[in-house]
Amino acid sequence: MFRTHTCGELRLNHINETVILSGWVQRIRKMGGMTFVDLRDRFGITQLVFNQDKNAVLFDQANRIGREWVIQCKGVVAERSNKNQHLDTGDIEIIAIELIILNESKIPPFTIEDDTDGGDDLRMEYRYIDLRRNAVRRNLELRHLIALEVRKYLHEFQFLEVETPVLIKSTPEGARDFVVPSRMNPGEFYALPQSPQLYKQLLMIAGFDRYFQIVKCFRDEDLRADRQPEFTQIDCEMSFVEQDDVLNIFEGMMKHLFKEIHHMEMSPFPRITYADAMRLYGSDKPDLRFGMSFVELKELVSGHQFAVFDAADYVAGICASECSTFTRKQLDELTEFVKRPQIGAKGLVYIKFEADGSFKSSIDKFYSSEDLKGIANAMNAKPGDLMLVLAGETKKTQKALSELRLEMGNRLGLRKKNDYAPLWVVDFPLFEWDDETQRFYAMHHAFTSPKPEDISLLKSDPGKVRANAYDMVINGVELGGGSIRIHNSELQHKIFQIMGFSEEEAQFKFGFLMDAFKFGAPPHGGLAFGLDRIVSLFAGLDSIRDCIAFPKNNSGRDIMSGAPSPIDMNQLKELNLKIEVPEE
Ligand code: ASP
């Protein structure tokens, strides 16, 4: 028997019991004739004591072991004179009577503590050691719990978990596919699913009614903190539903998670339209933990000989409460911030509404105190507030002001990790126009249904058509999104047409779906959540990497295993692939 208990289990009521523990050596403290070993496993840490006077051979043996060795120790549970309140097992220790070394360990490349000295790359190279750290392990425990609660909730509501294939025909979700060559079909390829979108729709046609799957999806995109080439979705679909039915079920699911994981009762999630989200926050995933919504000022500020405002399509500002005391330096920093190439504003206008009621601004030359007062009124500013105004082309300026708003939120400490501000964004546009390729793209995906009242616009003004599509956003992060689908092959055809697919192309890519629509497709809709993002939100992490057991780095590499890597010539031949090796 390797153990009678885990390293997190023993308490005062076990005193005088003879026990066996197995685990890793976290720490060794040698204090004269006594050696203390902290033994660790997933469940906790227990202190072992080796006493030279009691057993000199055993004591010598203990003094030879090192960090991260795997040992088994038999001993008697005793009450500690020096209790450790930081450990669950801190009231007891084990007086060792036998020690077996199960395996030695090289000296680990970094310390296995909550605050480790290992840099990112080193930790990723030795991820199996990194995973021994509490901080990382806890994230995976949380992930397990969240997945479990999701399954419980959805099972309760009669969803069936169905596995869909991983080697598929490409399903477009707007990203690039990862592809897999088929040995048995030379020159042909599978795609890895960007999502199980088409399969879940087919399951609705098959009458499954309510489907879900916690499933890996693959997208060959440039990576960011909240993106990995393979990620996990909680993918869901329902039949005979309208938008409200979907939102209610999944708002319920998120509330269930908040309740089970954080013991929080959440109020109903506000629902705002995409148009309002853009107007008020310049973003389709606004962070509602704080206010500072946009106020449009174009009309009010035009005609004062201030060319920047006069020439702009769009002028808008935000009002930061009690920030009129911002110094020159702080304002310069904000100006630098908005002028960074990623943000792209040309400059920043500020108006200080001083505590004494006077105004000080970067546009004093063009606007009288009276004018500034008018702006302050429009922005609901009070004495002591600071107004920040941007001007320019509408979309770009909204985006820049949105970044500035978030930056102000950060600076003022308004984006607290344990505040949660959920909302639904609804009524997304169906299409997005792309100037470069001169065509419409589906904003969500090609299977999203237009709002029935907008169908007539499909012909005349496709850019104006709103979709029956929705996103759940929490704290400025898009956690999930979906839509009510088209279930009629004619309408689906029309949408493909607007997106510029030829008849043959549509038939080649989605013929099977279009055919299926002709065999009794029920009205249906659904959505998918990013599990990695949910876990990282609940854990308060800055990157989804820390809640994934074996993540990839920013260039899509697994630096531990070395993937991706070349394959040998024979494999290539078998797959009928030729690659040109660049000349040295
Ligand atoms: N397949 C969609 C996605 O991956 C979600 C959905 O529409 O259900 O974003």
Side-chain angles (χ1 to χ4, degrees), residues 33-48:
M34 304 273 272
T35 289
F36 298 93
V37 172
D38 284 351
L39 192 66
R40 184 196 72 237
D41 64 11
R42 195 187 106 200
F43 306 95
I45 286 181
T46 301
Q47 174 165 287
L48 314 176

Side-chain angles (χ1 to χ4, degrees), residues 173 195 197 200 219 233 235 444-445 481-483 485 526-528:
E173 290 275 1
S195 87
Q197 185 63 35
K200 67 176 172 177
R219 296 184 189 177
Q233 285 195 341
D235 189 46
H444 184 52
H445 52 54
S483 59
R485 325 297 183 190
L527 80 186

Side-chain angles (χ1 to χ4, degrees), residues 247-424:
L247 301 199
N248 289 338
I249 286 271
F250 291 99
E251 184 167 324
M253 186 184 91
M254 198 51 75
K255 285 179 173 162
H256 175 78
L257 290 182
F258 273 107
K259 190 160 165 199
E260 296 302 320
I261 308 289
H262 281 334
H263 312 293
M264 289 170 83
E265 293 287 345
M266 302 298 281
S267 319
F269 297 6
R271 295 177 187 182
I272 73 173
T273 63
Y274 171 87
D276 280 346
M278 294 310 289
R279 187 171 57 79
L280 294 170
Y281 305 100
S283 164
D284 60 2
K285 40 179 191 294
D287 185 345
L288 297 193
R289 278 174 294 183
F290 64 106
M292 260 191 251
S293 54
F294 295 7
V295 179
E296 285 174 27
L297 300 166
K298 172 72 186 167
E299 271 184 36
L300 190 61
V301 298
S302 291
H304 284 258
Q305 272 75 53
F306 182 43
V308 174
F309 284 175
D310 285 349
D313 301 330
Y314 176 87
V315 182
I318 54 174
C319 174
S321 285
E322 296 172 30
C323 290
S324 70
T325 49
F326 264 41
T327 60
R328 179 82 250 165
K329 181 163 168 272
Q330 283 171 302
L331 292 168
D332 285 347
E333 280 168 11
L334 291 176
T335 308
E336 284 313 307
F337 174 83
V338 297
K339 281 164 96 175
R340 290 181 353 194
Q342 317 85 292
I343 314 266
K346 296 227 167 60
L348 172 68
V349 166
Y350 71 84
I351 305 169
K352 286 179 170 180
F353 195 169
E354 305 281 9
D356 64 4
S358 66
F359 289 96
K360 193 161 167 239
S361 80
S362 52
I363 47 173
D364 283 348
K365 259 206 271 172
F366 304 96
Y367 296 87
S368 68
S369 272
E370 222 24 58
D371 298 332
L372 296 175
K373 176 125 209 181
I375 298 176
N377 277 344
M379 297 187 72
N380 245 326
K382 296 177 301 310
D385 290 355
L386 171 70
M387 292 162 267
L388 299 170
V389 181
L390 293 181
E393 189 269 318
T394 308
K395 272 208 172 129
K396 262 185 157 169
T397 311
Q398 280 180 332
K399 188 162 182 301
L401 192 57
S402 160
E403 296 293 340
L404 178 64
R405 175 179 174 268
L406 295 177
E407 171 69 13
M408 287 301 287
N410 285 338
R411 282 176 177 244
L412 300 174
L414 302 174
R415 303 179 74 192
K416 297 198 189 80
K417 286 244 157 92
N418 38 14
D419 276 356
Y420 297 96
L423 72 146
W424 290 101

Side-chain angles (χ1 to χ4, degrees), residues 171-173 194-198 200-201 217 219 231 233-237 444-445 448 470 478 480-485 525-529:
T171 296
E173 290 275 1
Q194 293 186 36
S195 87
Q197 185 63 35
L198 295 185
K200 67 176 172 177
Q201 292 193 236
C217 300
R219 296 184 189 177
F231 59 100
Q233 285 195 341
I234 305 166
D235 189 46
C236 311
E237 197 74 8
H444 184 52
H445 52 54
T448 295
Y470 32 77
E478 180 206 323
S483 59
I484 298 298
R485 325 297 183 190
L527 80 186
F529 289 94

